[in-house]
Amino acid sequence: MIAYIFRRLLLIPLTLFGIIALNFIIVQFAPGGPVEQVIAQLQGLETSATTRVSSQSVDSLSTDSKYRGAQGLPPELVKEIEKKFGFDRPPYERFVIMIKNYATFDFGESYFRSQNVINIIIEKLPVSLSLGLWSTLLIYLISIPLGIRKAVSEGSAFDITTSYIIFFFYAMPSFLFSILLIVLFAGGQYLDLFPLRGLTSDNWDSLNMIEKIIDYIWHLTLPVFAIAIGGIASLTMLTKNSFLDEINKQYVLTAQSKGLTPSRVLYGHVFRNAMLVVIAGFPATLVSMLFTGSLLIEVIFSLDGLGLLGFESIINRDYPVVFGILFIFSLIGLAVNLLNDIMYHVVDPRIDFEARST
């Protein structure tokens, strides 16, 4: 297993290179890049960009430009904008420079935030980590026991009732559930028990350790439940179906015929095999909760995390931030996938990835 882990670690840089290269190529063909964004602002859509680039006059005309909307700007100003964003170099040269910098985790500076990308990501990371880790933990703590109980008591009143509830929440979008939580518990129409925005209170610095923990949980309760509700529904049914599939197999009947207690059969034999399917979905669940699933939740609860940052950066064509977040996302995803394989082996030592790869 050690050799397998070592080989997987060696593959991570190569995989990251492929992901970054593919997305870099796609970006080259995407319209409305940062140069065009600033040109549009200079042409009157937004005047704040003029102070960011140059104070040159824009009275002269440029009728021959590769950028959409550049007519009316002097060629020297367009070249200055290109140089500011590094677009005065050919694409292959920009890609080589980017890869060299990324090897040392140097993501450059944001085009429009005048701040180092790594500092921006570090600033936003606590929100996304808080949402992702706690929602994933909540999903597994609720779904696995509930799924096992439903499998053991299939067809009972408990199973049927919980199935109706699960299907209801599975069909409800997370943003709609967020609004429902706000209406019910955050001063909407009924109770005012939880805060509506932010990860911490304004007086955070004056709180002691216990008060900070309580304040942190207080702010996270609603957004974590909102982001986790869909995952709880799907994982509960996956756990139930996985256990039902194993319970109906011959080895379970054999174990029961030997006089083993139901709990010994369930947790000594069925659990290990049934949990493999559940564990297989762990990386996708965690990465989804960390990033892709949190965008609307961050907007609704005014949480400034990586999901919102990535969306705004794509809209603004802030490529250093976009690629920096992509790099971090990909690295975490690859690391979690490796952790998933290790967990497979821990749950069932009979699974030997090293033997399969030879």
Side-chain angles (χ1 to χ4, degrees), residues 98-251:
M98 184 178 70
I99 292 298
K100 288 180 179 178
N101 292 335
Y102 277 28
T104 59
F105 288 88
D106 179 8
F107 302 126
E109 288 195 359
S110 167
Y111 286 159
F112 304 114
R113 293 174 180 262
S114 301
Q115 194 175 355
N116 190 279
V117 172
I118 193 66
N119 292 335
I120 298 175
I121 293 176
I122 291 174
E123 179 184 345
K124 312 295 183 183
L125 194 57
V127 172
S128 295
L129 285 178
S130 296
L131 289 175
L133 292 176
W134 292 120
S135 59
T136 302
L137 180 63
L138 182 66
I139 288 171
Y140 276 80
L141 286 177
I142 294 177
S143 299
I144 293 177
L146 180 58
I148 295 174
R149 173 72 186 279
K150 285 175 64 63
V152 172
S153 59
E154 185 191 20
S156 66
F158 173 82
D159 180 40
I160 295 173
T161 303
T162 53
S163 292
Y164 280 119
I165 297 173
I166 287 172
F167 292 145
F168 172 78
F169 285 115
Y170 184 76
M172 178 178 286
S174 59
F175 74 90
L176 188 59
F177 186 64
S178 302
I179 296 173
L180 176 63
L181 290 177
I182 290 173
V183 171
L184 293 177
F185 303 112
Q189 292 291 334
Y190 299 95
L191 303 176
D192 189 6
L193 301 178
F194 297 96
L196 185 57
R197 61 181 63 247
L199 192 62
T200 57
S201 298
D202 294 335
N203 63 336
W204 171 263
D205 293 333
S206 63
L207 302 177
N208 59 44
M209 182 58 66
I210 301 298
E211 291 173 335
K212 285 183 177 181
I213 294 174
I214 296 174
D215 182 75
Y216 176 73
I217 297 173
W218 184 47
H219 281 78
L220 274 179
T221 299
L222 294 188
V224 165
F225 267 99
I227 198 174
I229 194 66
I232 291 173
S234 58
L235 187 61
T236 298
M237 297 309 299
L238 175 64
T239 304
K240 175 189 174 182
N241 294 333
S242 178
F243 272 81
L244 283 177
D245 184 57
E246 292 296 325
I247 288 173
N248 294 324
K249 289 184 177 180
Q250 183 63 42
Y251 76 88

Side-chain angles (χ1 to χ4, degrees), residues 39 56-65 67 70-83:
I39 287 175
Q56 294 186 34
S57 172
V58 296
D59 294 332
S60 59
L61 296 178
S62 175
T63 59
D64 183 18
S65 176
Y67 298 107
Q71 288 76 15
L73 297 180
E76 296 79 11
L77 178 56
V78 175
K79 290 181 179 178
E80 182 182 346
I81 297 173
E82 287 183 323
K83 185 176 181 180

Side-chain angles (χ1 to χ4, degrees), residues 131 173-176 178-179 182 223 226-227 291-303 307-308 311:
L131 289 175
S174 59
F175 74 90
L176 188 59
S178 302
I179 296 173
I182 290 173
I227 198 174
F291 308 114
T292 58
S294 62
L295 172 58
L296 291 176
I297 303 301
E298 290 179 11
V299 173
I300 292 172
F301 289 98
S302 300
L303 298 171
L308 183 59
F311 176 75

Side-chain angles (χ1 to χ4, degrees), residues 7-18:
R7 286 196 299 270
R8 286 289 300 272
L9 289 174
L10 291 179
L11 282 174
I12 288 179
L14 184 61
T15 306
L16 283 173
F17 176 84

Side-chain angles (χ1 to χ4, degrees), residues 17 24-25 28 83 85-102 111:
F17 176 84
F24 183 85
I25 293 172
Q28 303 311 304
K83 185 176 181 180
F85 296 120
F87 281 77
D88 56 329
R89 297 188 178 97
Y92 72 87
E93 187 175 337
R94 285 187 278 120
F95 179 72
V96 171
I97 293 174
M98 184 178 70
I99 292 298
K100 288 180 179 178
N101 292 335
Y102 277 28
Y111 286 159

